[in-house]
Amino acid sequence: MASERVLLSGNEAVGLAALHAGVALGCGYPGTPSTEILEYFSALGGRAMWSPNEKVALEVALGASFAGARTIVTMKHVGLNVAADPFFESTYTGVTGAFIVVSADDPGMSSSQNEQDNRRYAVAAGMPMVEPSDSQECYDFTRAAIELSEKFHVPFLLRMTTRVCHSTSVVVPGAPWPPAAPPNYVRDTDSRVVMPVNSRLLHKRLRQKLADLSAWGDTCIARRPSLAAASGGVSQGWPPPTTEGPTLDGACSLNRIDPAPPGEGGKLGIIASGISYMHAREAAPQAEILKLGLTHPLPMNLIRKFVQGVQRCVVIEEGDPYLADAILAAGLKVHGKPEMFRFGELNVDRVRRILADDLSPEVDPPAGKPPQLCPGCPHRVTFEALRDLGCIVTGDIGCYTLGALPPFGAIDTCVCMGAGLTVALGLRHVLPEEQARKVVGVLGDSTFLHSGLTGLMDMVYNRPATGFVLMILDNGITAMTGMQEHPGTGRTLDHKPTHQVVIEDVIRAIGVQRVIVIDPIKDPQAVKTTIAESLALDDLTVIITRRPCLLAAKRIKEYEGKS
Ligand SMILES: Cc1ncc(C[n+]2csc(CCOP(=O)(O)OP(=O)(O)O)c2C)c(N)n1
Ligand code: SF4
């Protein structure tokens, strides 16, 4: 496929680049907008696996990198919260083979519970970060990050956002790299064992690497020919930029300056990265733009020179004022965005408003039709029962979160993956008995294996006086994110058979004796009566409602060779 022009989404471009750069192992946990990276990498022949959760994925990939293998680990932004512990340590240990962490953020929350800006994680953990703007850069920057990770022996964060992940644009792939050296373990306990005596030195080593990278980033700059020399727009007809200083992987410069058109030079400067660059380019063709690809550590000397060369410099960025805060803290005079633009995605119109200091209220987009569980969805029976029984329900994240909306209105809380069990435990511990006896925790099957197991141990260990009722809505797949496999399905990422973790066996082994499995479609009444009976006991009960997701049932049969 090398050097043909291909249409790829940003996620696909990362998968292709990983393959071309010899990534030996891709790990991850599904989560929009990151999911397709590993699926595409696997479909191309790369070795990829879904892990039970993001922490496991990151640690497995890190271990492989200690052995010298090139690795990539993918997750959505909130997945990085789950993986945060090893994420922080990995910058201290450093890596041997390249180690790339992909965080796909979701400004505007098209399918997430919050819009946290994971650029802050790069700073907090001291992890270098690159941010691509389109599919070509997703491809180029993935390869560049792999090259830099091995050169500086540090992990790299590839930070993407929904638009970059899912937009499709032309990619001209480079030549695949020659095969990497086979993995080989070389002992380096001073680096790999993070105990205080080592970590004190490792922290200093990390800061030195970041200083070196920042200085390197100052020189990693390309310059576009002026707009006048271009024959038509940003994506077509631009002559290739001229590069200054070192480039990566043959041609890639992470940072770039787009000069202003003739007569406009030195007036308006914009600093942008990621998708914000695309909006800024269109909103302000008269501006000179410093487009940052390396956004941690920031190439501050380059930024300083740019800011000093223009009369007014505006930072255009989605989410938190990460760039603006850092540049202002360095004593440079730039304008950030007003607070109202912290929320939601940016677009060309909003960038024009930022540049014009226009604070007039924005028109809310028309409300769409609220989402609903599919007609015939097996989750429906559970929420009808919980609603009719007047339960206090701590829900979780998955298709079944929709049990919170009409016609069910049956979920009281939803915090994060796993909290459907543990928040219920908290309620049970403190509520008066009459209310405590109404509390039911609800998790999906993928969610239970992701982060319900530790909560289950707490349920057994710190058992509430009124007992407990947990429901696991087992539809045999990770439906919400597009039907991915998990350890309970008995199939690997590419749907091949593997050892199956049997949910009820695990629950019994942890110490719950009352485990009841019901097919909610065959016997809806049993769901209701079993919940009611269980609430009246002081016992621990786990009710598993098992019926395949209606939309996945056909393909599950095909995977199992039953169609
Ligand atoms: C930490 C974290 N990782 C990933 C996601 C993305 N995500 C949302 S729900 C979900 C799992 C849904 O599967 P399951 O629990 O089986 O419920 P279903 O959608 O099948 O009903 C995932 C992976 C997330 N919200 N948070
Ligand atoms: S995709 Fe499956 S689990 Fe999700 S609402 Fe539809 S039937 Fe239910």
Side-chain angles (χ1 to χ4, degrees):
M1 204 189 277
S3 76
E4 283 168 26
R5 286 160 61 88
V6 279
L7 262 183
L8 295 177
S9 70
N11 282 346
E12 290 167 340
V14 173
L16 179 64
L19 189 86
H20 283 177
V23 165
L25 184 63
C27 300
Y29 182 72
T32 311
S34 69
T35 312
E36 301 82 10
I37 297 173
L38 283 191
E39 291 177 330
Y40 193 69
F41 177 63
S42 169
L44 294 172
R47 184 167 181 212
M49 42 186 79
W50 291 132
S51 304
N53 68 27
E54 294 86 352
K55 179 176 187 288
V56 173
L58 195 141
E59 289 161 350
V60 171
L62 182 63
S65 143
F66 287 166
R70 293 185 181 133
T71 59
I72 189 164
V73 53
T74 69
M75 61 199 70
K76 72 182 281 150
H77 62 313
V78 285
L80 199 48
N81 301 337
V82 177
D85 199 353
F87 179 81
F88 274 71
E89 305 337 325
S90 68
T91 54
Y92 275 33
T93 60
V95 296
T96 305
F99 179 58
I100 308 301
V101 182
V102 180
S103 167
D105 295 9
D106 190 13
M109 294 175 281
S110 61
S111 54
S112 306
Q113 67 264 44
N114 73 12
E115 49 184 344
Q116 77 186 38
D117 187 332
N118 278 1
R119 295 178 299 173
R120 304 280 200 200
Y121 261 117
V123 180
M127 189 174 291
M129 166 170 63
V130 291
E131 287 187 78
S133 296
D134 60 13
S135 298
Q136 181 69 59
E137 285 191 353
C138 286
Y139 180 84
D140 292 340
F141 285 15
T142 301
R143 289 175 60 135
I146 290 170
E147 186 178 334
L148 285 171
S149 177
E150 285 187 358
K151 184 179 158 110
F152 287 88
H153 299 291
V154 276
F156 257 74
L157 182 65
L158 179 68
R159 192 261 185 171
M160 301 167 74
T161 54
T162 309
R163 295 278 151 182
V164 175
C165 292
H166 288 166
S167 301
T168 299
S169 57
V170 170
V171 175
V172 182
W177 291 354
N184 174 39
Y185 186 68
V186 180
R187 203 163 201 211
D188 180 8
T189 43
D190 289 353
S191 296
R192 305 288 190 242
V193 180
V194 285
M195 55 187 184
V197 62
N198 290 337
S199 294
R200 287 185 195 108
L201 295 173
L202 294 175
H203 188 194
K204 288 185 183 143
R205 184 179 77 173
L206 170 64
R207 293 297 149 193
Q208 185 57 52
K209 285 181 190 177
L210 290 171
D212 294 347
L213 251 166
S214 173
W216 179 91
D218 282 332
T219 64
C220 183
I221 174 81
R223 220 166 268 278
R224 282 236 191 251
S226 78
L227 269 172
S231 55
V234 175
S235 56
Q236 296 157 11
W238 277 79
T242 51
T243 52
E244 295 169 14
T247 58
L248 288 155
D249 195 19
C252 171
S253 281
L254 293 174
N255 307 310
R256 194 177 77 217
I257 290 177
D258 292 358
E264 296 291 336
K267 294 180 189 164
L268 173 64
I270 291 178
I271 299 176
S273 66
I275 196 67
S276 307
Y277 162 78
M278 293 299 193
H279 302 318
R281 182 66 286 167
E282 200 174 330
Q286 78 281 18
E288 185 169 348
I289 301 188
L290 172 58
K291 178 189 177 315
L292 294 174
L294 180 68
T295 46
H296 186 254
L298 284 169
M300 208 47 93
N301 287 331
L302 179 63
I303 294 170
R304 182 172 292 111
K305 239 195 269 169
F306 181 82
V307 173
Q308 287 167 352
V310 291
Q311 286 166 17
R312 177 176 181 239
C313 188
V314 184
V315 177
I316 300 292
E317 59 188 322
E318 250 171 15
D320 290 352
Y322 159 69
L323 291 173
D325 284 357
I327 297 168
L328 285 166
L332 299 173
K333 196 164 173 275
V334 290
H335 301 270
K337 59 184 177 183
E339 181 67 3
M340 64 191 272
F341 298 105
R342 178 194 281 251
F343 309 101
E345 291 184 290
L346 290 183
N347 55 33
V348 176
D349 182 52
R350 297 189 90 199
V351 172
R352 286 199 184 107
R353 281 167 166 265
I354 294 171
L355 292 171
D357 285 328
D358 179 355
L359 297 181
S360 61
E362 297 180 276
V363 182
D364 287 334
K369 220 174 129 203
Q372 282 216 338
L373 291 171
C374 302
C377 171
H379 296 336
R380 284 180 166 262
V381 173
T382 300
F383 291 113
E384 277 159 7
L386 291 167
R387 176 197 60 200
D388 295 350
L389 291 167
C391 294
I392 298 170
V393 178
T394 57
D396 213 299
I397 305 186
C399 278
Y400 54 98
T401 316
L402 294 173
L405 301 181
F408 312 105
I411 291 184
D412 291 88
T413 70
C414 174
V415 178
C416 65
M417 289 186 79
L421 197 174
T422 37
V423 168
L425 285 173
L427 289 170
R428 279 259 179 177
H429 286 314
V430 298
L431 281 174
E433 180 170 352
E434 193 195 336
Q435 283 193 317
R437 284 205 181 277
K438 290 187 178 166
V439 174
V440 177
V442 174
L443 302 178
D445 46 337
S446 189
T447 300
F448 174 68
L449 295 170
H450 175 281
S451 48
L453 284 165
T454 41
L456 192 79
M457 280 186 264
D458 194 46
M459 166 179 152
V460 171
Y461 177 52
N462 294 307
R463 180 185 171 129
T466 54
F468 194 77
V469 179
L470 170 67
M471 298 197 67
I472 298 177
L473 312 194
D474 181 0
N475 58 3
I477 208 86
T478 315
M480 169 90 161
T481 48
M483 315 299 172
Q484 286 73 35
E485 307 290 354
H486 61 67
T489 68
R491 293 178 298 275
T492 52
L493 181 145
D494 56 358
H495 314 295
K496 305 260 164 54
T498 185
H499 181 83
Q500 180 180 21
V501 175
V502 179
I503 291 178
E504 51 271 41
D505 289 355
V506 173
I507 295 169
R508 287 197 184 98
I510 286 178
V512 180
Q513 269 119 38
R514 206 163 177 270
V515 185
I516 300 163
V517 182
I518 306 172
D519 181 335
I521 299 294
K522 265 199 188 146
D523 198 353
Q525 189 53 36
V527 175
K528 199 167 175 178
T529 44
T530 309
I531 298 171
E533 282 165 16
S534 307
L535 287 172
L537 302 173
D538 288 341
D539 214 345
L540 302 178
T541 305
V542 178
I543 304 169
I544 302 172
T545 54
R546 177 164 294 146
R547 177 79 175 197
C549 155
L550 195 70
L551 298 193
K554 189 164 171 264
R555 68 175 96 165
I556 291 174
K557 276 192 179 158
E558 282 166 12
Y559 301 146
E560 291 174 349
K562 290 185 192 155
S563 61

